[in-house]
Amino acid sequence: MLLDEARRIHSWIDDLDLPRGSVVLNVGSSTATFRKTIQPFIHEHVIQPFEDKGCRVVHCDMKPDEGVDEVGDLMDEEFRSSLKSYDPVLVLCSNLLEHVPRPSELAYACGDLVR
């Protein structure tokens, strides 16, 4: 993610009227080190604003590491089912579709996670 993208997402977050306790799934989140140290503007402009609104951000990725809450493949129906149990109101999928072989299927899978 680029700094300008993070700032743009921050402005969108500011416009959202999400109830406290809402769950946001951060799909393709990478690690806590990546979000907070390598590209700290991700935490500052994207994750922290959600948390400041009282939202819970659940970080999802295919690789297990520090700061990844749920590990799995979104194309796996069982994994998606487990993510749906969070009852997410929003899915954040940024800079991920260009890394997958079938982006339209992944986009559908992301949409399948929310009400």
Side-chain angles (χ1 to χ4, degrees), residues 17-63:
D17 186 25
L18 298 174
R20 291 188 73 71
S22 293
V23 173
V24 175
L25 295 180
N26 182 15
V27 175
S29 67
S30 194
T31 66
T33 299
F34 183 79
R35 295 187 309 269
K36 293 180 177 181
T37 305
I38 297 170
Q39 292 189 355
F41 51 85
I42 294 174
H43 183 78
E44 177 185 349
H45 290 290
V46 180
I47 306 307
Q48 192 64 53
F50 278 124
E51 292 174 345
D52 290 348
K53 284 181 169 278
C55 295
R56 177 178 178 201
V57 180
V58 177
H59 302 286
C60 312
D61 207 291
M62 289 184 70
K63 59 181 177 245

Side-chain angles (χ1 to χ4, degrees), residues 93-107 110:
C93 177
S94 177
N95 295 281
L96 179 61
L97 295 177
E98 67 271 22
H99 297 286
V100 298
R102 297 177 312 277
S104 61
E105 290 180 28
L106 181 64
C110 287

Side-chain angles (χ1 to χ4, degrees), residues 1-20:
M1 179 179 297
L2 301 173
L3 176 57
D4 287 344
E5 290 173 297
R7 287 180 175 150
R8 169 62 85 185
I9 292 170
H10 189 158
S11 73
W12 294 337
I13 295 167
D14 285 344
D15 292 339
L16 293 173
D17 186 25
L18 298 174
R20 291 188 73 71

